[in-house]
Amino acid sequence: MAVIKVQKLTKNFKDLVAVDRVSLEIEEGECFGLLGPNGAGKTTLVHMITAVSLPTDGDIWVLGKDLRKYPRRIKAMFGVVPQIDNLDAELTVLQNLTTFARYFDIAKDEARRRSMAALNLFRLEGKSGSRIKELSGGMKRRLLLARGLINNPRVLILDEPTIGLDPQSKYLVWQKLRELKGQGVTQLLCTQNMDEAAVLCDRVAIMHRGRVLALDSPKGLVERYVGPKLLEIEVGADQRDSINQELQSRGLDFEDAAGTIQVFHCDADRLAQELEGLSWNLWPRLATLEDVFFRLTGRALVE
Amino acid sequence: MRLPSWRFIRMWQRNRDVFLRLWRSIAPGFIFEPIILLLALGLGFGHFMGVIDGQDYIYFIVPGVIASYVMTSATFECTYGAFFRMEYRRTYDSILATPLNIEDVVAGEIFWGATRSLVTATIILVVAALFQLLPSPWVLLVPVVAVLEGVMFASIGMVFVSLAPSIYSFNYYFTLFIAPITFFSGAFFPLDSFPEAVQVVSSIVPLTPAVELIRALVQGEFHPGLLLSLAYIVLLAGLFFFISMVAMRRRVID
Ligand SMILES: Nc1ncnc2c1ncn2[C@@H]1O[C@H](COP(=O)(O)OP(=O)(O)OP(=O)(O)O)[C@@H](O)[C@H]1O
Ligand SMILES: [Mg+2]
């Protein structure tokens, strides 16, 4: 049974359709990624799944239970790390965790024990008595992560958890998320970081303008939309037409993007050899999720 | 309509912890101000007022000061305080992702507001007792009225929070609602000598029944009309409590 199942989920803000009839199933124990440009609707989708915001239309089921009917029981299983810092600025760092534990009915001693462990894990033990405004941006992020784990959640919902973290902290978080996955914790991860999605996620959905455009494993997406390897050709102004012509005559799938032409779904190494004589500046390289992202959502900024 | 559960206590505890951490910085508003007002009005101004309703002015205003500060304690907490947590700190969003629903959060805010009312009433009562301004043992029931009054004004405040476009809206709430209410309630001076119209308004404003009940308990003098006052407070408190549940759900979860 799917841990989270959303069906034709829609959210309107006045005239704007922020999430447009999205259907997804997230399986037990998987890490499910949501990728998409700014304003794609990722956070809005997550808000609906965590009952912070009510859907305009559609259904959400968690372990077969309707979120509308059993919100408390379902939310008790969730650990949520929001995109926007909503730490309790009127409480200390430690109180933020113990107070949160209390929302989950965790007894006082246990709450304290878990809070200290979480602070240690995210290297905030020296800050337990500090006020929130005394933390740096990255420390706040780490505290949000610690808070999201306080109830030993069965399902983790993370909205850009590593944004603003230094490489050490990011690595630490990735490790922890992998470890949690090993323990069977299901994860829903919104991210702008393609490496993060590629490294952590079993499956990735690419969202754009409120809709899911593609859904597969990172490898599957790369193979389907760009091929495992691609060829990049640097174009000078006077070469553009001739290169375009040559590639067209070979019936290749290519895209002309800001000074570089990318050829997809080709045997990049062989093609590089074949084109060697033309004195173009070109190189084959491994395709990434980012290439898929650009192909599906375009290179222009949205709005 | 959805109802709050016992989990509202978690929100109440959260507010209590913040209060215990910060009470020194908010003490001027809820400890010194009412005491200063009580003494300044009662002892200073009282000389010019002479005897009212057969008693020194200071005896007259003790219940008025209690009722009006009970109102402002709950109101501050459930207007500026609640709006700030909801819109600026995003505290509600963080709590809504836990087993608490919006109704629990709102009920926690309201009962915390009423708790602030209780604290304020108790402090003023203790000071009044030290100055031997409390002639009747019935005064021991004043905290009960303070809690009821607190729930009523906290709930009215929360309904306004659900409608307020910005935090500045509460300036209107205080100047156009709370200040006139204080005037019309007869908390600080009797309204007998004012025109008929004033007394009609007075009988409607929600602070009036609280002033009457607290005054009766402080002085130990009762009449049947007080039952009506009590009923009015309970009715308004209940009504606005339930309206605030629906209105806040619409505002926060949309
Ligand atoms: N409370 C709101 N009221 C009105 N419009 C909103 C609200 N929240 C989000 N939107 C709009 O909904 C759309 C989706 O926003 P959302 O925050 O879900 O995007 P996102 O995919 O999380 O983007 P980002 O990567 O920037 O976090 C945007 O066009 C945004 O302007
Ligand atoms: Mg977002």
Side-chain angles (χ1 to χ4, degrees):
Chain A
M1 185 187 356
V3 171
I4 297 175
K5 179 175 173 183
V6 306
Q7 263 179 331
K8 296 198 176 139
L9 202 58
T10 300
K11 179 79 182 186
N12 299 342
F13 294 110
K14 301 206 176 86
D15 292 340
L16 177 90
V17 186
V19 173
D20 190 6
R21 286 162 291 163
V22 166
S23 298
L24 290 174
E25 288 194 22
I26 300 171
E27 301 298 332
E28 175 106 57
E30 83 170 323
C31 177
F32 189 98
L34 269 182
L35 278 179
N38 295 144
K42 305 179 295 295
T43 298
T44 307
L45 180 62
V46 159
H47 277 172
M48 290 190 282
I49 294 174
T50 53
V52 171
S53 158
L54 212 64
T56 309
D57 201 12
D59 300 301
I60 303 166
W61 306 82
V62 178
L63 291 165
K65 287 199 170 63
D66 188 344
L67 180 65
R68 266 172 308 214
K69 282 211 190 93
Y70 305 97
R72 297 180 213 275
R73 232 190 285 176
I74 289 172
K75 289 190 290 177
M77 296 186 291
F78 283 171
V80 179
V81 179
Q83 180 178 8
I84 296 176
D85 152 35
N86 56 22
L87 292 165
D88 203 326
E90 292 171 302
L91 299 169
T92 65
V93 166
L94 180 63
Q95 278 181 319
N96 257 275
L97 297 180
T98 51
T99 304
F100 225 72
R102 196 164 55 198
Y103 297 139
F104 288 94
D105 299 319
I106 297 163
K108 207 169 171 180
D109 293 341
E110 174 68 6
R112 215 186 141 74
R113 200 188 58 70
R114 283 194 204 180
S115 301
M116 297 308 278
L119 288 179
N120 279 326
L121 174 66
F122 289 102
R123 298 187 316 227
L124 290 165
E125 61 278 7
K127 296 283 177 188
S128 70
S130 300
R131 290 192 279 175
I132 298 304
K133 68 175 178 192
E134 293 162 3
L135 300 184
S136 76
M139 290 174 188
K140 285 185 196 165
R141 275 273 110 205
R142 267 142 54 194
L143 184 57
L144 282 167
L145 280 154
R147 193 184 73 177
L149 296 176
I150 206 75
N151 58 322
N152 293 335
R154 182 160 172 194
V155 182
L156 250 184
I157 297 175
L158 310 132
D159 198 349
E160 312 206 8
T162 59
I163 207 159
L165 290 186
D166 59 35
Q168 292 87 341
S169 308
K170 195 184 304 183
Y171 187 70
L172 176 80
V173 171
W174 287 2
Q175 251 185 334
K176 182 66 191 169
L177 292 180
R178 278 215 208 89
E179 187 187 317
L180 287 166
K181 206 179 99 174
Q183 295 163 11
V185 176
T186 308
Q187 297 170 21
L188 171 56
L189 172 68
C190 300
T191 183
Q192 304 284 4
N193 184 328
M194 306 293 151
D195 293 336
E196 186 165 281
V199 167
L200 295 175
C201 297
D202 302 300
R203 287 192 303 156
V204 170
I206 295 188
M207 264 186 100
H208 190 39
R209 298 180 203 276
R211 314 197 69 162
V212 172
L213 298 183
L215 169 57
D216 204 338
S217 66
K219 195 158 166 268
L221 285 173
V222 169
E223 269 162 21
R224 178 135 49 106
Y225 291 96
V226 291
K229 252 186 157 181
L230 56 79
L231 188 71
E232 285 193 327
I233 309 168
E234 193 181 32
V235 269
D238 50 335
Q239 291 175 311
R240 173 154 282 137
D241 287 344
S242 58
I243 297 177
N244 267 289
Q245 247 167 23
E246 172 68 29
L247 295 177
Q248 245 155 24
S249 73
R250 286 169 176 265
L252 289 166
D253 175 13
F254 68 99
E255 214 167 77
D256 194 342
T260 319
I261 288 180
Q262 296 177 326
V263 189
F264 306 110
H265 295 296
C266 60
D267 186 338
D269 295 316
R270 223 180 75 198
L271 190 59
Q273 265 172 11
E274 286 176 22
L275 297 173
E276 213 167 22
L278 292 168
S279 78
W280 297 346
N281 187 12
L282 52 79
W283 59 92
R285 71 162 168 84
L286 287 175
T288 67
L289 212 45
E290 191 158 74
D291 300 313
V292 178
F293 189 84
F294 276 133
R295 275 222 103 175
L296 287 170
T297 62
R299 286 189 180 261
L301 279 179
V302 191
E303 258 124 312
Chain B
M1 190 185 75
R2 288 169 186 248
L3 292 174
S5 73
W6 61 270
R7 289 182 191 275
F8 82 85
I9 199 76
R10 301 294 179 220
M11 184 66 191
W12 185 92
Q13 288 170 321
R14 180 249 166 229
N15 286 341
R16 178 203 59 195
D17 291 350
V18 172
F19 179 75
L20 292 177
R21 222 170 81 74
L22 301 177
W23 72 271
R24 278 180 214 86
S25 55
I26 46 185
F30 77 98
I31 300 183
F32 302 119
E33 200 186 304
I35 294 172
I36 290 168
L37 188 78
L38 179 69
L39 300 181
L41 275 186
L43 300 178
F45 196 54
H47 284 301
F48 306 101
M49 295 292 285
V51 175
I52 289 179
D53 288 353
Q55 57 186 342
D56 271 351
Y57 182 59
I58 190 152
Y59 288 95
F60 178 82
I61 63 155
V62 168
V65 170
I66 294 174
S68 88
Y69 275 91
V70 160
M71 169 177 76
T72 43
S73 297
T75 303
F76 262 107
E77 200 62 50
C78 289
T79 52
Y80 289 107
F83 193 85
F84 198 70
R85 290 188 274 279
M86 172 176 82
E87 285 289 315
Y88 293 90
R89 301 285 201 207
R90 297 261 141 220
T91 309
Y92 289 8
D93 284 356
S94 71
I95 299 175
L96 290 178
T98 74
L100 276 75
N101 289 350
I102 183 66
E103 289 78 13
D104 305 323
V105 172
V106 175
E109 295 274 44
I110 288 172
F111 289 120
W112 174 250
T115 307
R116 290 293 310 273
S117 294
L118 178 64
V119 171
T120 302
T122 308
I123 290 169
I124 303 173
L125 282 175
V126 168
V127 173
L130 291 176
F131 283 86
Q132 301 189 315
L133 298 171
L134 305 174
S136 162
W138 287 101
V139 75
L140 291 172
L141 288 179
V142 167
V144 178
V145 178
V147 170
L148 278 177
E149 186 195 341
V151 171
M152 173 174 69
F153 280 108
S155 302
I156 297 174
M158 284 313 280
V159 171
F160 194 73
V161 165
S162 76
L163 303 169
S166 93
I167 197 141
Y168 303 108
S169 316
F170 297 109
N171 297 346
Y172 290 100
Y173 187 74
F174 275 82
T175 45
L176 299 180
F177 182 62
I178 296 296
I181 271 186
T182 311
F183 171 82
F184 283 111
S185 69
F188 296 110
F189 41 83
L191 295 171
D192 314 345
S193 51
F194 281 84
E196 182 75 8
V198 172
Q199 296 186 35
V200 172
V201 176
S202 170
S203 65
I204 299 168
V205 299
L207 184 56
T208 308
V211 171
E212 282 174 354
L213 283 171
I214 294 175
R215 187 158 282 150
L217 290 170
V218 168
Q219 297 171 351
E221 286 168 16
F222 302 94
H223 59 88
L226 293 171
L227 286 175
L228 217 60
S229 302
L230 183 64
Y232 191 46
I233 294 184
V234 172
L235 182 82
L236 282 188
L239 186 67
F240 278 92
F241 184 84
F242 289 114
I243 295 175
S244 75
M245 294 297 141
V246 177
M248 282 297 285
R249 169 165 282 266
R250 190 168 306 160
R251 166 83 191 230
V252 177
I253 319 261
D254 56 31

